[in-house]
Amino acid sequence: MFERSAHDPRPLRAAWGLAPDVVYLNHGSFGPAPRAVIDERQRWFAQLEANPMDFFIRQLDARLDHVRERLARFVGCKAGDLVFVDNATAAMNVVAQSFPLAAGDEVVATDHEYGAVLRLWHTTCERAGAKLVIAELPDPLTTTEELIDKLFAAVTGRTKLLVVSHVTSPTAVVLPIEAICRRAREQGIAVAVDGPHALAMRELDLRRLDCDYYAVSCHKWLCAPFGTGFLYAHPRRQQAIRPAVMSWGHTSRGPFGRWQDEFDWVGTRDPSGILAIPTAIEFLESQGIETFRQYGHELARYAREQLLAWSLSKPLCPDSEAWYGTMAAVEVQTSDLRGLQQRLWERHKIEIAATEWKGRKLIRVSGHLYTAREEIDLLLEALRNDH
């Protein structure tokens, strides 16, 4: 049964700029950022516009290094292991462009991966004469051991890279990423982790994880501004990394001295969102990261229970915080998933994520500290009325 948390979301609704009539149950897709983070971004943007020459040429280097230091402490790595990019998609494109693949090589991904990531690696393998292999995980998921065995059953002597989510996008499942990375290291296989949903939702220690690459969007659970992300690359991979967009690189230090130098200047761009990342971290820490994780999971669990009872469908994974965090996905019986999503918005001002996965139609519910249990009840009422 769902246990009510001591957290009261009502005072925090005002900390975000959401329209008062919107029932926003899709935080996992698109932020949004709290007002304090937006204000900080605007403050940095005003400083930039006051004297762009001074800001870009004399100040920006040190500002970016400061943000890297703060972010590195939050994710458990060295600042020298991070570069800033627009989002996890941009980060994964850097990996795809930089990872050495030859004809006959194989890349293994799971059937729970984000569609854009699968598309990217299919194209990358095709160009190299390599092969993208899709590992079909157990359905439903039951145990960590069975999942890992099924994943590595797709590995062969030609496998060079695993591409795997920390938290999956279509199915909202937490994969046992530490155990996957450990087994991959034992077999000499590199791992690229797609991690936009894991940042803040899960405890993250990149040193302990010891993956080769980790791609992140900061606008999801961390609530940083849109257009902020980072790529972590293990020191063993950094010298081979190249940006997806080639520009001047970092010229103020002369010849490139750090692998990050090619990323700090990829043409003139607005860095104000990146500079507001520390404020996003501070905001979430001030509210209590464990409070957020516990409350978010309670909401997701309540939504999952109610949606499963309404849809009469089977769960995708066990009912455990080890398997899902602050969002949950449930299969629904409808012939028009996009129409259902659109009607929820047009008739009830309710926003949810909806996706087709392996021929099944899923809706995914996610909230943050501002989300009330009663908003999930409104979703269930709207779904019952729609049918």
Side-chain angles (χ1 to χ4, degrees):
M1 294 294 293
F2 178 81
E3 297 181 4
R4 296 294 295 270
S5 170
H7 172 72
D8 184 357
R10 289 171 297 180
L12 273 180
R13 177 81 182 198
W16 273 264
L18 286 165
D21 61 336
V22 173
V23 179
Y24 199 74
L25 299 177
N26 192 18
H27 191 100
S29 288
F30 308 111
R35 294 180 187 274
V37 177
I38 296 171
D39 290 346
E40 181 69 359
R41 180 179 195 169
Q42 292 174 337
R43 186 179 74 83
W44 283 117
F45 187 73
Q47 287 191 34
L48 184 159
E49 292 288 352
N51 186 343
M53 178 75 175
D54 180 57
F55 196 93
F56 281 119
I57 302 302
R58 304 184 188 98
Q59 297 184 35
L60 187 57
D61 291 348
R63 303 291 188 191
L64 292 176
D65 284 342
H66 170 75
V67 178
R68 259 191 288 262
E69 290 284 352
R70 183 67 182 92
L71 188 57
R73 292 197 300 273
F74 188 71
V75 299
C77 69
K78 294 180 179 179
D81 298 334
L82 304 176
V83 291
F84 295 114
V85 292
D86 288 348
N87 46 47
T89 298
M92 193 62 77
N93 270 266
V94 172
V95 177
Q97 180 168 295
S98 304
F99 188 79
L101 284 177
D105 289 345
E106 293 179 353
V107 174
V108 172
T110 81
D111 57 351
H112 286 248
E113 299 309 312
Y114 188 50
V117 171
L118 293 177
R119 182 169 182 247
L120 167 65
W121 283 103
H122 174 78
T123 301
T124 301
C125 289
E126 190 175 59
R127 288 174 178 167
K131 180 182 179 183
L132 177 63
V133 178
I134 305 299
E136 294 190 5
L137 300 185
D139 186 9
L141 297 165
T142 54
T143 68
T144 295
E145 293 76 17
E146 184 185 18
L147 184 157
I148 293 174
D149 286 344
K150 286 284 285 185
L151 172 58
F152 281 87
V155 168
T156 72
R158 296 181 295 275
T159 304
K160 304 299 181 184
L161 179 71
L162 287 182
V163 177
V164 61
S165 291
H166 192 159
V167 180
T168 67
S169 178
T171 53
V173 172
V174 178
L175 298 184
I177 198 66
E178 287 192 28
I180 290 171
C181 287
R182 184 166 55 249
R183 185 156 168 181
R185 285 196 304 275
E186 292 170 355
Q187 298 188 24
I189 301 169
V191 181
V193 181
D194 191 35
H197 282 292
L199 183 65
M201 182 203 286
R202 314 298 293 184
E203 182 181 357
L204 187 57
D205 187 332
L206 291 172
R207 286 192 194 90
R208 186 175 70 235
L209 189 59
D210 197 27
C211 60
D212 294 84
Y213 314 95
Y214 199 99
V216 170
S217 295
C218 298
H219 69 260
K220 295 181 184 290
W221 305 105
L222 185 60
C223 297
F226 295 114
T228 60
F230 69 83
L231 170 66
Y232 161 86
H234 193 280
R236 62 179 169 257
R237 297 289 177 180
Q238 291 170 8
Q239 292 309 308
I241 292 286
R242 295 293 180 268
V245 177
M246 184 67 66
S247 184
W248 285 103
H250 198 312
T251 58
S252 66
R253 279 190 287 267
F256 301 127
R258 311 184 306 182
W259 75 286
Q260 296 131 312
D261 291 347
E262 289 267 33
F263 291 85
D264 280 353
W265 195 289
V266 289
T268 304
R269 63 179 176 182
D270 176 9
S272 59
I274 292 171
L275 298 177
I277 289 175
T279 300
I281 296 173
E282 291 162 10
F283 177 86
L284 191 57
E285 289 180 340
S286 72
Q287 302 301 322
I289 292 179
E290 286 306 319
T291 297
F292 154 65
R293 290 170 180 161
Q294 178 187 357
Y295 180 70
H297 178 68
E298 289 173 356
L299 283 174
R301 186 181 184 210
Y302 177 69
R304 189 177 110 132
E305 287 179 352
Q306 299 301 310
L307 287 169
L308 286 172
W310 167 76
S311 66
L312 301 178
S313 59
K314 296 180 180 180
L316 301 173
C317 66
D319 183 14
S320 167
E321 194 171 4
W323 283 101
Y324 66 99
T326 56
M327 61 182 184
V330 171
E331 182 179 3
V332 296
Q333 303 303 319
T334 178
S335 59
D336 184 11
L337 182 63
R338 297 302 173 188
L340 174 62
Q341 184 186 43
Q342 188 65 17
R343 289 192 300 275
L344 286 172
W345 166 245
E346 291 177 348
R347 299 175 183 176
H348 308 283
K349 298 298 182 185
I350 297 173
E351 296 283 24
I352 59 165
T355 186
E356 294 196 22
W357 175 74
K358 296 178 65 173
R360 292 145 73 177
K361 297 174 174 62
L362 307 180
I363 62 174
R364 195 189 71 197
V365 176
S366 58
H368 211 286
L369 288 167
Y370 58 79
T371 308
R373 178 180 184 267
E374 289 74 19
E375 292 179 281
I376 296 171
D377 293 335
L378 290 174
L379 169 64
L380 268 296
E381 180 181 356
L383 288 171
R384 293 188 187 103
N385 292 337
D386 186 79
H387 281 62

